[in-house]
């Protein structure tokens, strides 16, 4: 299946004809949103089609903030008749009365007069069907645009998962090295204490103290190894990355699940950083967080 972005744009036109002298235009655009949020901006003559348009959009789209704008345009074949004098005089009287009460009111325009007097003769019976046809065409274009953007996002996300795996592989051998370095430090301290004991006169007492010091050093080394062990975090991180790659290959509606997995990745990277006791491991943790944040921003756009 395809991975779809929630970002896209498409348009559609229905030209004027002899039977339908009014041309129709439509634009549809969408951006990311947690749910499906529809906004329709239609001219007055088209508002009757709004419920049917909403129903079609709900069936074809799952998530995103979607805005549809549709309008009528006068074609060359549209008949225009001059309003009769009585109608024009009534409009002038109404305008004069309004101006007397509201001096700053805007004067009537020619378009206002034509609309209120029915000066334009055009057939509107076919508008609902034309609107549905245009919406289906525009929605097809929007879905195609969202699929193209989704393919780009998918390639970016799988590229980031590969980089995260490489960082995890760099971190894995650092832990045994750090444990051995710390263990050697503890033993060096014990050997230093042993040297001091040989120089002491109370050999029996010092031998007992040295054994206790050695046991304490080894115990501290073991505790240190347990504290900085990140094998579990690396394993969970790899599992999350495998699941993300699987979802991207599967496609479909996966944005919310990806968002959860990104949170889990961030949790593991944070734990890795908190356990870090060396600059290389800290840098790896920071690099991981940068990559995960980049993924988070893009996942927000996936349906």
């Amino acid at each position: 299946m395809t991975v779809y972005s929630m970002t896209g744009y498409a348009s559609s036109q229905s030209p004027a004809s002899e039977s339908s002298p009014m041309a129709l235009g439509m634009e549809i655009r969408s951006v990311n949103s947690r749910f499906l949020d529809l906004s329709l901006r239609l001219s007055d003559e088209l508002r009757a089609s709004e419920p049917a348009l909403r129903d079609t959009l709900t069936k074809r789209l799952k998530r995103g903030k979607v805005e549809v704008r549709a309008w009528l345009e006068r074609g060359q074949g549209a008949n225009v008749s001059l309003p009769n004098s009585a109608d024009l005089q009534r409009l002038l009287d109404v305008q004069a009365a309004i101006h007397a009460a509201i001096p700053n009111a805007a004067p009537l325009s020619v378009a206002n007069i034509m609309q209120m007097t029915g000066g334009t003769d055009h057939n509107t019976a076919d508008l609902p069907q034309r609107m549905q046809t245009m919406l289906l065409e525009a929605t097809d274009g929007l879905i195609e645009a969202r699929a193209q953007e989704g393919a780009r996002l998918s390639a970016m996300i799988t590229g980031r998962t590969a980089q995260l795996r490489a960082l995890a592989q760099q971190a894995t051998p650092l832990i045994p090295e750090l444990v051995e370095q710390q263990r050697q430090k503890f033993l060096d301290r014990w050997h230093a204490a042993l040297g001091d004991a040989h120089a002491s006169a109370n050999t029996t007492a010092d031998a007992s103290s040295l054994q206790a010091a050695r046991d304490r050093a080894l115990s501290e080394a073991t505790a240190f190894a347990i504290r900085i062990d990140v094998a579990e975090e690396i394993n969970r991180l790899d599992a999350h990355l495998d699941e993300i790659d699987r979802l991207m290959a599967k496609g479909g509606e996966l944005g919310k699940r990806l968002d959860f997995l990104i949170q889990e990745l961030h949790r593991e990277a944070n734990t890795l950083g908190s356990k870090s006791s060396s600059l290389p491991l800290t840098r790896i943790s920071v690099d991981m967080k940068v990559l995960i944040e980049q993924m988070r921003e893009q996942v927000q756009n996936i349906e």
Side-chain angles (χ1 to χ4, degrees), residues 179 182-184 186-187 215-227:
V179 171
Q182 193 66 23
R183 178 176 177 277
Q184 190 58 49
F186 288 139
L187 289 177
D215 292 342
R216 186 169 59 253
L218 292 176
S219 176
E220 290 178 1
T222 302
F224 175 80
I226 295 173
R227 188 172 64 251

Side-chain angles (χ1 to χ4, degrees), residues 178-219:
L178 291 171
V179 171
E180 181 57 32
Q181 290 173 8
Q182 193 66 23
R183 178 176 177 277
Q184 190 58 49
K185 287 181 181 178
F186 288 139
L187 289 177
D188 289 344
R189 286 163 51 188
W190 179 74
H191 286 301
L194 182 62
D196 293 340
H198 285 312
S200 173
N202 191 355
T203 306
T204 302
D206 286 340
S208 176
S209 300
L210 285 173
Q211 184 59 41
R214 183 179 184 278
D215 292 342
R216 186 169 59 253
L218 292 176
S219 176

